[in-house]
Amino acid sequence: MIWIIMETDEKCIIAIDPGREKCGVAVLTVNRRTLVQKTVSAGKLAAVLKALEIRYQITVFALGSGTTGKMTKKMLEEEFPSMKVVVVDEYRTTDEARKRYWQENPPKGLLRFIPSGMLVPPVPVDDFAAVVIGEKYLTHMKNL
């Protein structure tokens, strides 16, 4: 679990990788800089998002289309009625998240001889998936 907090005056988005038990959350600037990256329990998602919305200039929620996406979208629209929610296709985000995990946490010992695509990270990578979802949104965004 990574919890990076950086200050910025830039406009930001919150990217969410929704799940039944845990969700990935990331705050990215419109220039694609990751300010916050965290995996949280699904029950605490709304509280975490409220805290992040207060701290950063959030313009949109980029929500992954996967598991519990529809339910999470409904919660976002109820809890944050003035915030725009955009659903982003999650296709292959978990694969990319695993790849990024191993880039940031290179395997050690004998594991370094095994191709990273064959390794399973020892921790959830929902936070990395949220970053990938946010980057996908920023790549295809029209206006913030």
Short mmCIF file of all heavy atoms in Angstrom, two decimals, residues 11-51:
data_model
loop_
_atom_site.label_atom_id
_atom_site.label_comp_id
_atom_site.label_asym_id
_atom_site.label_seq_id
_atom_site.Cartn_x
_atom_site.Cartn_y
_atom_site.Cartn_z
N LYS A 11 -4.98 21.54 -11.30
CA LYS A 11 -6.22 20.79 -11.30
C LYS A 11 -5.89 19.31 -11.29
O LYS A 11 -4.88 18.88 -11.85
CB LYS A 11 -7.05 21.12 -12.54
CG LYS A 11 -7.62 22.51 -12.52
CD LYS A 11 -8.49 22.74 -13.73
CE LYS A 11 -9.08 24.13 -13.69
NZ LYS A 11 -9.92 24.38 -14.87
N CYS A 12 -6.75 18.54 -10.62
CA CYS A 12 -6.49 17.11 -10.45
C CYS A 12 -7.73 16.28 -10.76
O CYS A 12 -8.85 16.80 -10.79
CB CYS A 12 -6.08 16.82 -9.01
SG CYS A 12 -4.58 17.66 -8.46
N ILE A 13 -7.51 15.00 -10.95
CA ILE A 13 -8.59 14.03 -11.05
C ILE A 13 -8.37 12.98 -9.98
O ILE A 13 -7.25 12.78 -9.49
CB ILE A 13 -8.65 13.36 -12.44
CG1 ILE A 13 -7.44 12.45 -12.66
CG2 ILE A 13 -8.79 14.38 -13.54
CD1 ILE A 13 -7.63 11.43 -13.76
N ILE A 14 -9.46 12.32 -9.60
CA ILE A 14 -9.35 11.14 -8.75
C ILE A 14 -9.73 9.95 -9.60
O ILE A 14 -10.81 9.93 -10.20
CB ILE A 14 -10.26 11.23 -7.51
CG1 ILE A 14 -9.80 12.34 -6.57
CG2 ILE A 14 -10.27 9.88 -6.77
CD1 ILE A 14 -10.65 12.50 -5.31
N ALA A 15 -8.84 8.98 -9.66
CA ALA A 15 -9.10 7.75 -10.40
C ALA A 15 -9.41 6.65 -9.39
O ALA A 15 -8.77 6.57 -8.34
CB ALA A 15 -7.90 7.38 -11.26
N ILE A 16 -10.40 5.83 -9.73
CA ILE A 16 -10.85 4.78 -8.81
C ILE A 16 -10.92 3.44 -9.53
O ILE A 16 -11.54 3.34 -10.59
CB ILE A 16 -12.24 5.12 -8.24
CG1 ILE A 16 -12.23 6.50 -7.58
CG2 ILE A 16 -12.71 4.04 -7.26
CD1 ILE A 16 -13.60 7.09 -7.35
N ASP A 17 -10.29 2.45 -8.94
CA ASP A 17 -10.42 1.07 -9.38
C ASP A 17 -11.37 0.41 -8.39
O ASP A 17 -10.96 0.04 -7.29
CB ASP A 17 -9.06 0.37 -9.39
CG ASP A 17 -9.17 -1.09 -9.79
OD1 ASP A 17 -10.04 -1.41 -10.62
OD2 ASP A 17 -8.39 -1.90 -9.27
N PRO A 18 -12.68 0.29 -8.74
CA PRO A 18 -13.65 -0.20 -7.76
C PRO A 18 -13.56 -1.70 -7.55
O PRO A 18 -13.18 -2.45 -8.45
CB PRO A 18 -14.99 0.18 -8.40
CG PRO A 18 -14.72 0.15 -9.87
CD PRO A 18 -13.29 0.60 -10.02
N GLY A 19 -13.90 -2.12 -6.35
CA GLY A 19 -13.91 -3.54 -6.03
C GLY A 19 -14.89 -3.83 -4.91
O GLY A 19 -15.39 -2.90 -4.26
N ARG A 20 -15.17 -5.10 -4.67
CA ARG A 20 -16.12 -5.48 -3.62
C ARG A 20 -15.55 -5.22 -2.23
O ARG A 20 -16.23 -4.69 -1.37
CB ARG A 20 -16.48 -6.96 -3.75
CG ARG A 20 -17.45 -7.24 -4.84
CD ARG A 20 -17.86 -8.72 -4.87
NE ARG A 20 -18.69 -8.96 -6.03
CZ ARG A 20 -18.24 -9.25 -7.24
NH1 ARG A 20 -16.94 -9.31 -7.44
NH2 ARG A 20 -19.07 -9.45 -8.24
N GLU A 21 -14.32 -5.63 -2.01
CA GLU A 21 -13.70 -5.51 -0.69
C GLU A 21 -12.72 -4.36 -0.57
O GLU A 21 -12.58 -3.76 0.49
CB GLU A 21 -13.00 -6.81 -0.33
CG GLU A 21 -13.95 -7.98 -0.19
CD GLU A 21 -13.23 -9.28 0.10
OE1 GLU A 21 -12.04 -9.23 0.50
OE2 GLU A 21 -13.85 -10.34 -0.08
N LYS A 22 -12.02 -4.06 -1.67
CA LYS A 22 -11.03 -2.99 -1.65
C LYS A 22 -11.06 -2.24 -2.97
O LYS A 22 -11.49 -2.77 -3.98
CB LYS A 22 -9.63 -3.53 -1.36
CG LYS A 22 -9.14 -4.53 -2.37
CD LYS A 22 -7.89 -5.20 -1.91
CE LYS A 22 -7.38 -6.29 -2.79
NZ LYS A 22 -8.22 -6.90 -3.76
N CYS A 23 -10.63 -0.99 -2.90
CA CYS A 23 -10.63 -0.13 -4.08
C CYS A 23 -9.27 0.56 -4.19
O CYS A 23 -8.66 0.91 -3.18
CB CYS A 23 -11.70 0.96 -3.97
SG CYS A 23 -13.37 0.33 -3.80
N GLY A 24 -8.84 0.75 -5.41
CA GLY A 24 -7.64 1.54 -5.64
C GLY A 24 -8.05 2.99 -5.85
O GLY A 24 -9.05 3.26 -6.51
N VAL A 25 -7.29 3.90 -5.28
CA VAL A 25 -7.57 5.33 -5.41
C VAL A 25 -6.27 6.04 -5.77
O VAL A 25 -5.22 5.74 -5.18
CB VAL A 25 -8.13 5.92 -4.09
CG1 VAL A 25 -8.32 7.41 -4.18
CG2 VAL A 25 -9.41 5.22 -3.68
N ALA A 26 -6.35 6.96 -6.73
CA ALA A 26 -5.17 7.74 -7.10
C ALA A 26 -5.60 9.16 -7.44
O ALA A 26 -6.66 9.36 -8.02
CB ALA A 26 -4.47 7.11 -8.29
N VAL A 27 -4.79 10.11 -7.04
CA VAL A 27 -4.98 11.50 -7.44
C VAL A 27 -3.87 11.82 -8.42
O VAL A 27 -2.69 11.62 -8.11
CB VAL A 27 -4.92 12.47 -6.23
CG1 VAL A 27 -5.00 13.91 -6.70
CG2 VAL A 27 -6.02 12.15 -5.23
N LEU A 28 -4.27 12.28 -9.61
CA LEU A 28 -3.31 12.65 -10.65
C LEU A 28 -3.57 14.08 -11.08
O LEU A 28 -4.72 14.51 -11.14
CB LEU A 28 -3.45 11.74 -11.88
CG LEU A 28 -3.00 10.30 -11.74
CD1 LEU A 28 -4.12 9.45 -11.19
CD2 LEU A 28 -2.57 9.78 -13.07
N THR A 29 -2.50 14.80 -11.38
CA THR A 29 -2.66 16.13 -11.95
C THR A 29 -3.01 15.98 -13.42
O THR A 29 -2.82 14.90 -14.00
CB THR A 29 -1.36 16.96 -11.84
OG1 THR A 29 -0.37 16.38 -12.69
CG2 THR A 29 -0.87 17.05 -10.41
N VAL A 30 -3.51 17.05 -14.02
CA VAL A 30 -3.83 16.99 -15.45
C VAL A 30 -2.57 16.78 -16.28
O VAL A 30 -2.66 16.39 -17.44
CB VAL A 30 -4.62 18.23 -15.93
CG1 VAL A 30 -5.98 18.28 -15.27
CG2 VAL A 30 -3.85 19.50 -15.67
N ASN A 31 -1.41 16.99 -15.69
CA ASN A 31 -0.13 16.73 -16.37
C ASN A 31 0.39 15.32 -16.07
O ASN A 31 1.57 15.05 -16.27
CB ASN A 31 0.91 17.78 -15.96
CG ASN A 31 0.51 19.15 -16.43
OD1 ASN A 31 0.04 19.31 -17.55
ND2 ASN A 31 0.67 20.15 -15.58
N ARG A 32 -0.49 14.46 -15.54
CA ARG A 32 -0.21 13.04 -15.33
C ARG A 32 0.77 12.74 -14.20
O ARG A 32 1.40 11.69 -14.17
CB ARG A 32 0.25 12.37 -16.63
CG ARG A 32 -0.75 12.48 -17.74
CD ARG A 32 -0.21 12.05 -19.07
NE ARG A 32 0.12 10.66 -19.10
CZ ARG A 32 -0.59 9.72 -19.69
NH1 ARG A 32 -1.69 10.03 -20.32
NH2 ARG A 32 -0.20 8.46 -19.68
N ARG A 33 0.92 13.64 -13.27
CA ARG A 33 1.78 13.40 -12.12
C ARG A 33 0.94 12.77 -11.01
O ARG A 33 -0.11 13.29 -10.66
CB ARG A 33 2.40 14.71 -11.64
CG ARG A 33 3.47 14.54 -10.60
CD ARG A 33 4.26 15.83 -10.40
NE ARG A 33 3.41 16.92 -10.01
CZ ARG A 33 3.52 17.59 -8.86
NH1 ARG A 33 4.45 17.26 -8.00
NH2 ARG A 33 2.72 18.58 -8.58
N THR A 34 1.38 11.65 -10.47
CA THR A 34 0.64 10.97 -9.40
C THR A 34 0.99 11.61 -8.06
O THR A 34 2.14 11.64 -7.66
CB THR A 34 0.99 9.46 -9.37
OG1 THR A 34 0.69 8.90 -10.64
CG2 THR A 34 0.21 8.75 -8.29
N LEU A 35 -0.05 12.11 -7.39
CA LEU A 35 0.14 12.75 -6.09
C LEU A 35 -0.20 11.82 -4.94
O LEU A 35 0.41 11.88 -3.88
CB LEU A 35 -0.74 14.01 -5.99
CG LEU A 35 -0.53 15.07 -7.06
CD1 LEU A 35 -1.52 16.21 -6.87
CD2 LEU A 35 0.90 15.59 -7.04
N VAL A 36 -1.22 10.99 -5.13
CA VAL A 36 -1.68 10.06 -4.09
C VAL A 36 -1.97 8.73 -4.77
O VAL A 36 -2.55 8.69 -5.85
CB VAL A 36 -2.96 10.57 -3.39
CG1 VAL A 36 -3.50 9.54 -2.41
CG2 VAL A 36 -2.72 11.90 -2.71
N GLN A 37 -1.60 7.66 -4.10
CA GLN A 37 -1.84 6.32 -4.61
C GLN A 37 -2.08 5.43 -3.40
O GLN A 37 -1.21 5.33 -2.53
CB GLN A 37 -0.61 5.88 -5.40
CG GLN A 37 -0.69 4.52 -5.99
CD GLN A 37 0.58 4.20 -6.79
OE1 GLN A 37 1.32 5.08 -7.22
NE2 GLN A 37 0.84 2.92 -6.96
N LYS A 38 -3.28 4.81 -3.31
CA LYS A 38 -3.61 4.05 -2.11
C LYS A 38 -4.66 2.99 -2.42
O LYS A 38 -5.50 3.18 -3.27
CB LYS A 38 -4.16 5.00 -1.04
CG LYS A 38 -4.45 4.35 0.28
CD LYS A 38 -4.65 5.38 1.35
CE LYS A 38 -4.97 4.77 2.70
NZ LYS A 38 -3.89 4.04 3.28
N THR A 39 -4.60 1.88 -1.69
CA THR A 39 -5.65 0.87 -1.71
C THR A 39 -6.40 1.01 -0.40
O THR A 39 -5.79 1.04 0.67
CB THR A 39 -5.06 -0.55 -1.83
OG1 THR A 39 -4.35 -0.64 -3.07
CG2 THR A 39 -6.15 -1.60 -1.81
N VAL A 40 -7.73 1.15 -0.49
CA VAL A 40 -8.57 1.34 0.70
C VAL A 40 -9.69 0.31 0.71
O VAL A 40 -10.06 -0.23 -0.33
CB VAL A 40 -9.17 2.77 0.75
CG1 VAL A 40 -8.08 3.82 0.78
CG2 VAL A 40 -10.11 3.01 -0.41
N SER A 41 -10.25 0.06 1.88
CA SER A 41 -11.38 -0.86 1.95
C SER A 41 -12.58 -0.17 1.29
O SER A 41 -12.73 1.06 1.35
CB SER A 41 -11.70 -1.23 3.39
OG SER A 41 -12.26 -0.13 4.07
N ALA A 42 -13.42 -0.96 0.66
CA ALA A 42 -14.57 -0.41 -0.06
C ALA A 42 -15.48 0.39 0.88
O ALA A 42 -16.06 1.41 0.48
CB ALA A 42 -15.36 -1.53 -0.73
N GLY A 43 -15.58 -0.03 2.12
CA GLY A 43 -16.42 0.67 3.09
C GLY A 43 -15.92 2.06 3.45
O GLY A 43 -16.69 2.89 3.93
N LYS A 44 -14.64 2.30 3.27
CA LYS A 44 -14.05 3.61 3.61
C LYS A 44 -13.86 4.50 2.39
O LYS A 44 -13.34 5.61 2.51
CB LYS A 44 -12.72 3.42 4.32
CG LYS A 44 -12.85 2.74 5.66
CD LYS A 44 -11.52 2.61 6.35
CE LYS A 44 -11.70 1.93 7.70
NZ LYS A 44 -10.45 1.71 8.39
N LEU A 45 -14.27 4.04 1.21
CA LEU A 45 -14.01 4.77 -0.02
C LEU A 45 -14.57 6.19 0.01
O LEU A 45 -13.86 7.15 -0.29
CB LEU A 45 -14.56 4.01 -1.23
CG LEU A 45 -14.35 4.68 -2.59
CD1 LEU A 45 -12.86 4.84 -2.89
CD2 LEU A 45 -15.04 3.87 -3.68
N ALA A 46 -15.82 6.35 0.38
CA ALA A 46 -16.45 7.68 0.38
C ALA A 46 -15.70 8.65 1.29
O ALA A 46 -15.45 9.80 0.91
CB ALA A 46 -17.92 7.58 0.77
N ALA A 47 -15.33 8.20 2.47
CA ALA A 47 -14.61 9.07 3.41
C ALA A 47 -13.25 9.48 2.87
O ALA A 47 -12.84 10.64 2.99
CB ALA A 47 -14.46 8.37 4.76
N VAL A 48 -12.53 8.54 2.27
CA VAL A 48 -11.22 8.84 1.68
C VAL A 48 -11.38 9.85 0.54
O VAL A 48 -10.62 10.81 0.44
CB VAL A 48 -10.53 7.55 1.19
CG1 VAL A 48 -9.31 7.86 0.34
CG2 VAL A 48 -10.15 6.67 2.38
N LEU A 49 -12.39 9.65 -0.31
CA LEU A 49 -12.61 10.56 -1.43
C LEU A 49 -12.97 11.96 -0.94
O LEU A 49 -12.51 12.95 -1.52
CB LEU A 49 -13.70 10.03 -2.35
CG LEU A 49 -13.38 8.70 -3.05
CD1 LEU A 49 -14.58 8.23 -3.86
CD2 LEU A 49 -12.14 8.81 -3.90
N LYS A 50 -13.76 12.06 0.11
CA LYS A 50 -14.11 13.38 0.65
C LYS A 50 -12.86 14.10 1.16
O LYS A 50 -12.70 15.30 0.93
CB LYS A 50 -15.15 13.24 1.76
CG LYS A 50 -16.53 12.94 1.22
CD LYS A 50 -17.55 12.79 2.31
CE LYS A 50 -18.88 12.41 1.67
NZ LYS A 50 -19.94 12.19 2.64
N ALA A 51 -12.00 13.38 1.84
CA ALA A 51 -10.76 13.99 2.33
C ALA A 51 -9.88 14.46 1.18
O ALA A 51 -9.29 15.55 1.23
CB ALA A 51 -10.00 13.00 3.21
#
